[in-house]
Amino acid sequence: MQATNAKLKQGRGVIERYREYLPFSDSTPIISLGEGNTPLIHCAQLSKRVGRGCDVFVKNEGVNPTGSFKDRGMTVAVSKALERNASALVCASTGNTSASAAAYAARAGISCAVILPAGKIASGKLVQAFAYGAKIVAVNGNFDDALRIVRELGERDGFVIVNSINPDRIAGQKTAAFEIVEVLGNAPDFHLLPVGNAGNITAYWAGYQEYYARQRTRPERQSNGSTRLPAMIGFQAAGAAPIFHNRIIENPETVASAIRIGNPASWKQARVAIEESRGAIDIVSDGEIVVAQTWLARHEGIFDEPASAAAIAGLFKCRDSKDARYSFKEIPEGSRIVCTVTGHGLKDPDAMQEQMEALIPVAPVTSEVRRLLGL
Ligand SMILES: *Cc1c(COP(=O)(O)O)cnc(C)c1O
């Protein structure tokens, strides 16, 4: 019976599983799509590529209900919004926040307004917002403009902003760190992830610290605890790297649309996470991102979106480049490294546009097919 209960709980999403760590009372309604409990995948080829007996794991957040980690925070933010009798959600988005907000709003039976930078959203994400019935407005501006407008709209009665400036989002997202500690039996030595608005790096650091503190204060909970804290290493795209350069970027540009942010909402918190964890913030070029995206799909069978590939590109940079802010020359042998794959590759099919266009049909004749396959 107990095993069945544990299994049921696993299927129920992050609030049921981690209620005691979240700002919930018994009367808070729960809006969930069964998010979280995503696989932590040991990557043999990536580990080999890094060498020194290191074990590299990918936390695949692309398999969440709407295809990104945003669902972890959205289940908490939308449940809390209902508790406060909200009638509408509002968000600015580079794509995944709107996809997630629209889905959870539909499930909660409330409306969802989405403000998007025109022409800057990957097509798979836009399709989702339409499918779930959000009210969508595109503005001629960038994400930072959209967020400014959302902050003003959010002052209306009954409106709740579900961008990561909403602390409930961060609370939900920290559960990914809990899951990693539970699977590995401890925190990893290094945690690498892409950084856009910097909510996620803030959330992971909060999660790791919380489990670390529990281990110390409640030794009977060994299996839930951790005895170490990871170095948090964040990666921004070279054309959208405000934290790295320590200045606002007016016109951020990168193929990785989910991290095309010039003025991150959680800038200060990210700095704290990086400093406290003795980690680093670094940049990767669009070229490196595309190479890493293809590499991961072809060597590990994990197809991520370009923003997520920034973490993999970052791993390669740490391993190979003298310019890396955190050179892996310093890492002890046998280190455990976790990279978060933040979103699914299908979100951004435009990334494969060239290859798809190169697919020209031939006559349905075996000899023709043979010729093209080089057989
Ligand atoms: C939102 C998002 C990011 C950036 O996360 P922040 O919390 O804004 O730093 C990275 N990758 C994907 C796929 C995202 O959706």
Side-chain angles (χ1 to χ4, degrees), residues 132-203:
Y132 297 125
K135 288 184 193 155
I136 303 168
V137 178
V139 295
N140 283 317
N142 58 30
F143 170 85
D144 305 296
D145 295 317
L147 185 59
R148 174 176 46 79
I149 294 166
V150 161
R151 283 181 199 263
E152 286 166 26
L153 293 179
E155 286 164 13
R156 275 179 78 107
D157 263 4
F159 273 53
V160 171
I161 299 175
V162 291
N163 282 101
S164 60
I165 54 176
N166 180 331
D168 298 328
R169 280 271 311 275
I170 306 292
Q173 284 171 209
K174 73 187 176 186
T175 58
F178 298 165
E179 290 175 12
I180 290 167
V181 172
E182 282 165 19
V183 171
L184 296 180
N186 208 335
D189 301 291
F190 300 92
H191 191 120
L192 282 64
L193 77 172
V195 172
N197 260 309
N200 214 26
I201 192 169
T202 303

Side-chain angles (χ1 to χ4, degrees), residues 208-221:
Y208 282 127
Q209 282 183 305
E210 206 165 323
Y211 259 24
Y212 182 74
R214 289 246 170 179
Q215 204 282 332
R216 285 172 143 191
T217 54
R218 294 166 65 182
E220 78 275 13
R221 296 188 59 113

Side-chain angles (χ1 to χ4, degrees), residues 86-153:
S87 56
L89 308 180
V90 58
C91 66
S93 184
T94 59
N96 283 331
T97 293
S98 54
S100 185
Y104 284 82
R107 195 152 173 86
I110 58 178
S111 65
C112 177
V114 170
I115 317 299
L116 303 173
K120 302 269 170 88
I121 307 298
S123 58
K125 305 175 188 180
L126 195 52
V127 164
Q128 287 179 292
F130 278 111
Y132 297 125
K135 288 184 193 155
I136 303 168
V137 178
V139 295
N140 283 317
N142 58 30
F143 170 85
D144 305 296
D145 295 317
L147 185 59
R148 174 176 46 79
I149 294 166
V150 161
R151 283 181 199 263
E152 286 166 26
L153 293 179

